[in-house]
Every structure is written in structure tokens, then in C-alpha cells.
């Protein structure tokens, strides 16, 4: 028997990286490569890296080292790939390096070091229409664009992934349709800046299913809302046109869920971060959104300990939390990222003060989160089942994105499968999760 070339694959970092990995794996499978789960069974290993913050760089370099030790033939791609010199200094033995979403270069390097089988028959190694997916069958990430036009002082994503490049809306919708036909019950819309979708192509008209559609966020949401599945929006900047999407949530076309990275609430700090900074208007808009959609869930992320942050700045942030009453919040202590403009700012915050502010921030937000979840006790929510175990089932409501938000535990539930949608009456809550029973 002729040997089928085998590839091991490690995907690190965010959902956007995961989608890049899915695309590379789909092409490899199409060309007859077999994807294997262990170093020993692989003829070659590809590591898709993250390079956003120092800890991610360390993890990526450590994973490359492990792959070299266990296998020896390693290709590196992803965000850290833009720092080729840094990778080669630590790991001179890697066979090839490419940057984020450099699909063709990765495949060229694979062909160079591990040619495909000459007798590969594409009609035998069939790849499903939706491609290779690394998520469970019932949900999938839908990436609508690459890159970012912002120049936030703490971030180097534009250096790693380039400026905004929107995918044609017809292409995005065709992919979404294929995913739904394959059994996906939830589409998670991702990009670096979902609100900016179409800006780079001046909202060019494209076609889907014979219909003209403008390449913009509202038209995309309207079209996705026709597919009859959960549609969840991530990485939404609060531009004015986001207001136009709220009625679609009120009508049940897309989930009443917004993931908006506010980052801070002090106008002075936001200016240093090079972020939008009209905090009063932001609070007014949150109030307006909730008047239209009382069930709206807002998730956000914040940075404490940014250079120059004073106690007064931090107090403004805590006051914003109290007033905004956000449902889901992540908090990061500022850490310098190599190449970021913020590294040059004066007045760095000592680590012990960063930690103290982080602890105070989380104490305030946990109280808010607990109160908002307590208010759901007695309500009936639709829950999408993710996992079934010996204790029952675990799922998520409309308010919960996979892997970053809370869970709904259904202890004692029987006869359920991942991907099922069930009506659940909520009986208990803590700071993050809910417990309930299937009706």
C-alpha cells in the first residue's frame, strides 16, 4: 500500500485563528492529506500561532518547540509568523514560516516538504461541503473580514493581520447557508471589527441566491436572520449604525447579544488608547438599546493598569460598570506588547496596583453579573445543548457565547443530544452560570 501523507495540526489563539486553521485543513483534506491527532503519526506538523500578547507568544514558541522535539518536521503560520527572526532565533529548525491567513503560502510549503500522494483520487477522499470544522457540529464561526483599520495604542493586530479586507457578502452568505444545511444551529459572526464590514469596498453590491445585497453589517444581519438559526455578533465597535441592528434583535431575527470591546470609561485613558471616547453617549445608547430589547445581553472587555491610569480614571471605570450594568465582562491587566505604541507612554502602573485594581473591578462586576442572573430565575429560556454527561446535560442560552460566557446546567436531564434546542425553566443562578429543568 502506498503511504498517504499525514499532517498533525495545532491551532492556538482566537476564533479568527481557528477559522484560518479550518480553511488550511479543508484544503489539505481536499488534496488527499490525512489529518492525524498525534505527533508520532504525523509526517509533518503545522502550528498556527498567536502573537497578540507576551503570554501568547510564549505559548506559541513553547508549542513549536514541543512539535520539533516530538516530530522534527514543523511549519509555522499565524500571527507570530510576522516575527520570523524571533521564531528562527529560538527555533532555527522550523521548515517554513508564514503569517496570518497566508493559506497559499502554507500549502506551498507543505507541498515542498511533503508532496501529496500521486494517486490521490478526489472522489474517494470527499470533503463535506462546509469544509473541515474544528467546532462541534452544531455551531460554527463565520469570519466576515480580515484585518483592522484602527490604530489602538495597545494593539499590534493591524501589523500582524493587515488593514481591513471584507469578504464579499455573497461568499459569506453561501458559506453560512452550507453550514446551516450541514446541521449548524448557531452562527458566530467574527472579525477584528464587525461594525466596519464593507467600509473598505465602499459597501459594494454583491449577489446571493440571485439577489443583490450590499456589503454592510445591516444587510448581512438581515440575510443571516433568514436562515432560521441563532446568529451571534462578536467584536462590534459601537458606531452609530449599530443602532439599526437593534430592531432585528427585537424581531427575533438575530440573537439579542452584542460583544463590544469598550476597554475603558475614562475619556482621558480612552484618548491615550486611541479608542472612541464618548462615554456619556455610550451610556445613553445602551439605555436606548435596552428599551427596545429588554433581554439584550452586552458582553465587553476592559483593561486596567494602562500606562498613566490614575485612581480617578479607575473610579470612572467602576462608575461606568455600575451604570451600564453589563451582563458579561472580561478584564485584563495591561501588559506591554512588543511593537505597540503604548509602550512609549509615561507613568507605567506598578504590578501590585494593577492586581489590586483588577480585584476591585472583578468584585464589582461579579456582583452585577450575579444580580442580572438572579433576575432570570423563574423564566423560561431556549437552551442549545453543547454536552451530555453522566449528570445530565450542559447548554447555553441566547446570552452565552461558547467558551467565554456562562453555561446552563440541566442536572438529571435525559434523552438529549448536542445540538438539541430545548425550553428550560431557570431555577438557580450564581455569578456566572444557571441551573434549570427541561419543560
Amino acid at each position: 500500500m502506498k503511504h498517504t501523507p499525514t499532517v498533525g495540526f495545532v491551532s492556538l489563539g482566537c476564533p479568527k485563528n481557528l477559522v484560518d486553521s479550518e480553511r488550511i485543513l479543508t484544503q489539505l483534506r481536499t488534496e488527499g492529506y490525512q489529518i492525524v491527532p498525534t505527533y508520532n503519526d504525523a509526517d509533518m506538523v503545522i502550528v498556527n500561532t498567536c502573537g497578540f500578547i507576551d503570554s501568547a507568544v510564549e505559548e506559541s514558541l513553547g508549542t513549536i518547540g514541543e512539535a520539533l522535539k516530538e516530530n522534527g518536521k514543523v511549519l509555522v503560520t499565524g500571527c507570530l509568523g510576522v516575527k520570523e527572526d524571533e521564531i528562527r532565533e529560538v527555533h532555527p529548525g522550523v521548515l517554513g514560516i508564514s503569517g496570518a491567513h497566508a493559506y497559499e503560502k502554507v500549502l506551498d510549503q507543505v507541498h515542498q516538504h511533503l508532496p501529496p500522494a500521486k494517486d490521490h483520487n478526489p472522489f474517494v477522499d470527499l470533503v463535506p461541503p462546509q469544509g473541515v470544522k474544528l467546532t462541534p457540529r452544531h455551531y460554527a464561526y463565520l469570519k466576515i473580514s480580515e484585518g483592522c483599520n484602527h490604530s489602538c495604542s495597545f494593539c499590534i493586530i493591524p501589523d500582524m493581520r493587515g488593514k481591513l479586507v471584507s469578504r464579499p457578502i455573497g461568499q459569506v452568505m453561501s458559506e453560512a447557508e452550507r453550514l446551516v444545511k450541514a446541521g449548524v444551529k448557531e452562527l458566530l459572526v467574527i472579525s477584528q471589527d464587525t461594525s466596519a464590514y464593507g467600509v473598505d469596498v465602499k459597501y459594494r453590491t454583491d449577489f446571493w441566491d440571485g439577489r443583490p445585497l450590499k456589503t454592510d453589517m445591516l444587510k448581512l444581519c438581515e440575510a443571516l436572520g433568514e436562515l432560521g438559526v441563532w446568529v451571534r455578533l462578536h467584536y462590534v465597535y459601537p458606531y452609530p449604525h449599530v443602532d439599526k441592528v437593534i430592531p432585528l434583535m427585537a424581531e427575533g431575527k438575530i440573537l439579542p447579544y452584542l460583544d463590544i470591546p469598550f476597554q475603558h470609561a475614562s475619556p482621558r485613558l480612552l484618548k491615550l488608547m486611541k479608542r472612541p471616547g464618548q462615554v456619556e453617549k455610550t451610556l445613553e445608547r445602551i439605555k436606548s438599546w435596552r428599551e427596545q430589547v429588554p433581554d439584550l445581553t452586552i458582553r465587553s472587555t476592559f483593561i486596567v493598569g494602562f500606562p498613566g491610569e490614575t485612581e480617578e480614571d479607575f473610579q470612572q471605570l467602576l462608575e461606568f460598570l455600575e451604570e451600564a450594568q453589563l451582563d458579561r465582562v472580561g478584564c485584563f491587566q495591561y501588559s506591554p506588547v512588543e511593537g505597540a505604541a503604548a509602550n512609549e507612554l509615561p507613568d507605567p502602573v506598578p504590578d501590585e496596583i494593577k492586581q489590586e485594581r483588577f480585584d476591585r473591578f472583578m468584585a464589582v462586576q461579579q456582583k452585577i453579573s450575579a444580580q442580572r442572573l438572579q433576575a432570570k430565575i423563574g423564566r423560561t429560556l431556549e437552551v442549545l445543548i453543547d454536552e451530555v454527561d453522566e449528570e445530565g446535560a450542559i447548554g447555553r442560552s441566547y446570552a452565552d457565547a461558547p467558551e467565554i460566557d456562562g453555561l446552563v446546567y440541566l442536572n438529571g436531564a435525559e434523552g438529549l443530544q448536542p445540538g438539541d434546542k430545548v425550553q428550560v425553566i431557570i431555577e438557580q443562578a450564581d455569578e456566572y452560570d444557571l441551573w434549570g429543568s427541561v419543560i
Side-chain angles (χ1 to χ4, degrees):
M1 289 182 64
K2 292 186 178 178
H3 176 67
T4 301
T6 58
V7 176
F9 204 101
V10 183
S11 185
L12 304 172
C14 66
K16 294 175 280 293
N17 236 27
L18 190 77
V19 173
D20 293 345
S21 297
E22 291 173 340
R23 184 163 174 181
I24 295 166
L25 288 168
T26 297
Q27 189 57 39
L28 289 171
R29 288 283 292 114
T30 301
E31 295 181 7
Y33 291 90
Q34 185 182 348
I35 311 304
V36 294
T38 66
Y39 291 122
N40 290 340
D41 295 327
D43 296 322
M44 167 187 287
V45 176
I46 300 173
V47 180
N48 192 1
T49 59
C50 178
F52 182 48
I53 56 176
D54 289 350
S55 59
V57 172
E58 286 174 24
E59 183 187 16
S60 293
L61 290 172
T63 303
I64 294 165
E66 180 184 89
L68 282 167
K69 180 183 174 187
E70 298 293 334
N71 182 276
K73 294 182 74 173
V74 177
L75 292 177
V76 175
T77 188
C79 288
L80 190 60
V82 298
K83 300 180 179 179
E84 182 166 352
D85 292 346
E86 187 174 324
I87 295 170
R88 293 229 179 257
E89 186 179 331
V90 181
H91 300 301
V94 296
L95 298 175
I97 298 172
S98 56
H101 53 86
Y103 314 114
E104 291 179 7
K105 187 171 180 181
V106 176
L107 290 159
D108 286 346
Q109 290 174 347
V110 172
H111 297 156
Q112 180 185 343
H113 297 284
L114 183 66
K118 290 180 180 177
D119 59 350
H120 164 56
N121 184 342
F123 297 104
V124 173
D125 295 316
L126 291 175
V127 176
Q130 73 276 17
V132 175
K133 289 291 159 193
L134 298 176
T135 49
R137 184 170 177 265
H138 59 280
Y139 69 82
Y141 293 103
L142 183 68
K143 185 157 70 167
I144 64 172
S145 64
E146 295 286 1
C148 180
N149 286 346
H150 293 283
S151 54
C152 302
S153 63
F154 55 82
C155 180
I156 56 170
I157 290 293
D159 296 333
M160 291 181 165
R161 289 186 167 263
K163 292 292 187 183
L164 176 73
V165 179
S166 299
R167 291 178 65 195
I169 193 168
Q171 190 184 101
V172 172
M173 286 306 305
S174 295
E175 180 183 345
E177 202 169 24
R178 288 194 300 273
L179 289 167
V180 172
K181 285 178 179 175
V184 165
K185 304 286 182 67
E186 177 181 15
L187 293 168
L188 300 115
V189 177
I190 59 169
S191 65
Q192 295 301 143
D193 179 1
T194 295
S195 311
Y197 180 59
V199 167
D200 56 310
V201 294
K202 298 183 170 61
Y203 309 113
R204 181 188 302 145
T205 298
D206 194 24
F207 290 86
W208 169 58
D209 204 21
R211 295 159 44 189
L213 281 181
K214 272 195 165 184
T215 303
D216 73 27
M217 180 181 170
L218 178 61
K219 295 301 178 189
L220 176 67
C221 289
E222 287 174 348
L224 290 172
E226 296 174 21
L227 299 180
V229 298
W230 281 7
V231 176
R232 190 182 300 279
L233 300 181
H234 285 284
Y235 315 117
V236 178
Y237 278 71
Y239 303 143
H241 66 262
V242 173
D243 297 351
K244 297 177 183 176
V245 175
I246 302 299
L248 296 178
M249 297 180 179
E251 294 163 19
K253 300 287 178 63
I254 64 175
L255 290 181
Y257 181 101
L258 282 174
D259 176 0
I260 303 177
F262 290 121
Q263 306 298 15
H264 214 281
S266 157
R268 191 182 72 84
L269 257 285
L270 288 167
K271 193 172 180 181
L272 289 174
M273 290 178 172
K274 295 190 177 176
R275 300 282 297 179
Q278 297 174 305
V279 177
E280 288 306 315
K281 284 192 176 179
T282 299
L283 289 168
E284 286 172 20
R285 290 176 72 203
I286 290 172
K287 185 181 177 186
S288 170
W289 295 341
R290 286 193 169 135
E291 284 169 356
Q292 296 172 70
V293 187
D295 276 346
L296 178 65
T297 290
I298 303 176
R299 139 169 282 283
S300 191
T301 50
F302 295 88
I303 297 171
V304 296
F306 190 79
E309 183 188 60
T310 64
E311 180 61 24
E312 184 182 349
D313 294 318
F314 181 67
Q315 283 300 327
Q316 286 180 297
L317 176 54
L318 295 186
E319 287 165 13
F320 176 86
L321 280 186
E322 294 280 13
E323 191 161 349
Q325 292 285 300
L326 304 177
D327 302 82
R328 306 289 192 189
V329 170
C331 182
F332 300 92
Q333 296 181 48
Y334 173 78
S335 66
V337 176
E338 187 182 339
N343 299 346
E344 308 304 318
L345 291 172
D347 305 319
V349 177
D351 287 346
E352 61 271 19
I353 294 180
K354 285 184 196 172
Q355 182 64 48
E356 187 259 348
R357 287 178 183 167
F358 173 85
D359 292 340
R360 286 159 63 197
F361 178 101
M362 291 309 298
V364 169
Q365 181 54 39
Q366 279 183 353
K367 188 177 174 184
I368 293 167
S369 177
Q371 288 171 346
R372 294 190 71 79
L373 290 179
Q374 285 289 325
K376 294 184 178 181
I377 293 175
R379 289 187 56 191
T380 298
L381 300 178
E382 185 176 47
V383 170
L384 178 62
I385 302 301
D386 280 339
E387 186 183 339
V388 175
D389 60 18
E390 63 277 1
E391 292 183 16
I394 304 168
R396 293 176 290 107
S397 74
Y398 76 90
D400 308 304
E403 299 187 0
I404 56 172
D405 292 330
L407 298 168
V408 182
Y409 291 93
L410 307 174
N411 294 340
E414 296 179 351
L416 297 177
Q417 297 294 327
D420 287 348
K421 281 182 179 175
V422 291
Q423 296 296 314
V424 171
I425 185 160
I426 303 303
E427 297 161 340
Q428 294 179 53
D430 64 12
E431 295 91 347
Y432 302 108
D433 302 315
L434 301 170
W435 283 259
S437 299
V438 178
I439 296 175

